[in-house]
Amino acid sequence: MHLATGFFLLVFSLMVSADGLQSQLTPGGILVGQAAPGSRIVYDHQEVRVAKDGRFILGFGRDAELKQSYTEHFASGELKTFNLILKPRKYDIQRLTGIARKYVSPDERVLSRIRREAQQVRAARVPDTDQADFFNGFDWPVKGRISGVYGSQRVYNGQPGRPHYGLDIAVPTGTPVVAPADGVVRLVDPDLYYSGGTIIIDHGHGIFSSFLHLSKVSVKSGAAIKRGQTIGEVGATGRVTGAHLDWRYNWFDKRLDPALLTVGDQ
């Protein structure tokens, strides 16, 4: 759909394909766009990878502005700006008690570890590869009761924390976790301070999935994996109150809502 510059795309959920990954125009969601042959796409002053068939991804963070736009640079030299309106959303407030004090207010001796691990995680989400299996949509890595949702503001022992950027699925320790799509493992660590056993998978085009609080990891960094392959087991490592999988997605540094990217029912 091509619109003249200055007009808004007045839809909240745009589907490029009836099957597979679909656009969700809301904070935490994505645009699955379609570019003309030979076109380049620029969003937020950065060129975006375009697949051979012209599809591309844009991701919107939890607190994204509701007015968004991108520019298509056609092979002819023509430029056209596409404007989007995102549907606003509300987030839940969750209050958790029983969290160890060291996780809520870590002392100076562990702050350097926290910073080092945060940089390690950021570095894992830098690659921009042409892997494209994820356009078929993402499968559930485990199935179970949803105990925490994306975007919620958590209050730990009465102290407000950062918003929750994942989807928590409460299942017993030892439950197998499978890859939701093909990809390359970019990070494996059995004991990060906050997230415990952690795996990050690169699915291509800046899309990364993360799996936190694992009791066991079954893959190595750099390994190519297939959809449905077992990558680890659910646990209760790191900052948790019980066994569950904290499942997350990023589009580079934009944190996405897994519930909006997953195909099929629980």
Side-chain angles (χ1 to χ4, degrees):
M1 179 185 294
H2 288 184
L3 304 180
T5 301
F7 288 86
F8 291 115
L9 182 59
L10 296 175
V11 295
F12 295 142
S13 180
L14 171 68
M15 295 185 293
V16 169
S17 171
D19 299 312
L21 196 64
Q22 300 177 2
S23 293
Q24 301 289 340
L25 298 187
T26 188
I30 59 171
L31 169 72
V32 183
Q34 183 71 51
S39 285
R40 296 185 300 111
I41 301 296
V42 175
Y43 171 69
D44 196 22
H45 308 293
Q46 298 290 328
E47 186 166 340
V48 175
R49 178 178 292 277
V50 177
K52 292 180 180 179
D53 62 4
R55 287 181 293 179
F56 63 92
I57 294 290
L58 303 182
F60 312 112
R62 176 187 185 272
D63 301 310
E65 296 290 335
L66 299 184
K67 292 183 179 180
Q68 298 282 333
S69 65
Y70 68 91
T71 302
E72 183 166 359
H73 296 242
F74 295 93
S76 64
E78 178 188 4
L79 276 63
K80 188 172 289 187
T81 297
F82 296 81
N83 296 295
L84 314 171
I85 295 180
L86 306 187
K87 180 180 180 180
R89 60 188 298 186
K90 295 181 179 180
Y91 301 110
D92 294 336
I93 302 296
Q94 296 182 340
R95 300 182 183 278
L96 302 178
T97 58
I99 304 296
R101 180 178 177 80
K102 66 178 181 177
Y103 292 119
V104 178
S105 302
D107 58 39
E108 281 297 325
R109 69 184 181 83
V110 300
L111 286 177
S112 60
R113 174 187 174 184
I114 293 170
R115 296 187 191 102
R116 182 177 67 253
E117 291 177 351
Q119 177 56 37
Q120 181 183 0
V121 169
R122 285 193 294 270
R125 296 182 178 132
V126 169
D128 181 5
T129 63
D130 61 2
Q131 179 82 35
D133 169 75
F134 71 89
F135 279 116
N136 294 322
F138 293 96
D139 298 330
W140 289 88
V142 296
K143 294 186 177 183
R145 179 177 62 87
I146 303 301
S147 58
V149 295
Y150 171 90
S152 57
Q153 183 73 40
R154 288 186 162 183
V155 180
Y156 297 103
N157 300 341
Q159 179 177 329
R162 297 180 64 192
H164 183 48
Y165 293 112
L167 187 70
D168 290 345
I169 306 174
V171 289
T173 293
T175 302
V177 178
V178 301
D182 290 1
V184 175
V185 179
R186 295 297 181 190
L187 182 144
V188 174
D189 196 302
D191 187 29
L192 292 182
Y193 184 78
Y194 281 119
S195 59
T198 302
I199 296 173
I200 296 178
I201 299 175
D202 174 6
H203 298 287
H205 290 246
I207 297 287
F208 298 85
S209 58
S210 301
F211 309 86
L212 283 54
H213 309 306
L214 301 172
S215 62
K216 178 181 178 180
V217 294
S218 305
V219 292
K220 294 182 178 181
S221 183
I225 59 172
K226 292 296 183 181
R227 181 185 295 262
Q229 178 179 338
T230 298
I231 60 173
E233 296 178 2
V234 171
T237 56
R239 182 168 70 174
V240 295
T241 56
H244 72 282
L245 176 68
D246 184 344
W247 175 33
R248 305 187 177 199
Y249 278 101
N250 275 57
W251 183 68
F252 298 112
D253 63 345
K254 303 291 193 303
R255 300 174 185 271
L256 308 178
D257 185 350
L260 299 179
L261 278 67
T262 308
V263 297
D265 297 327
Q266 268 255 50

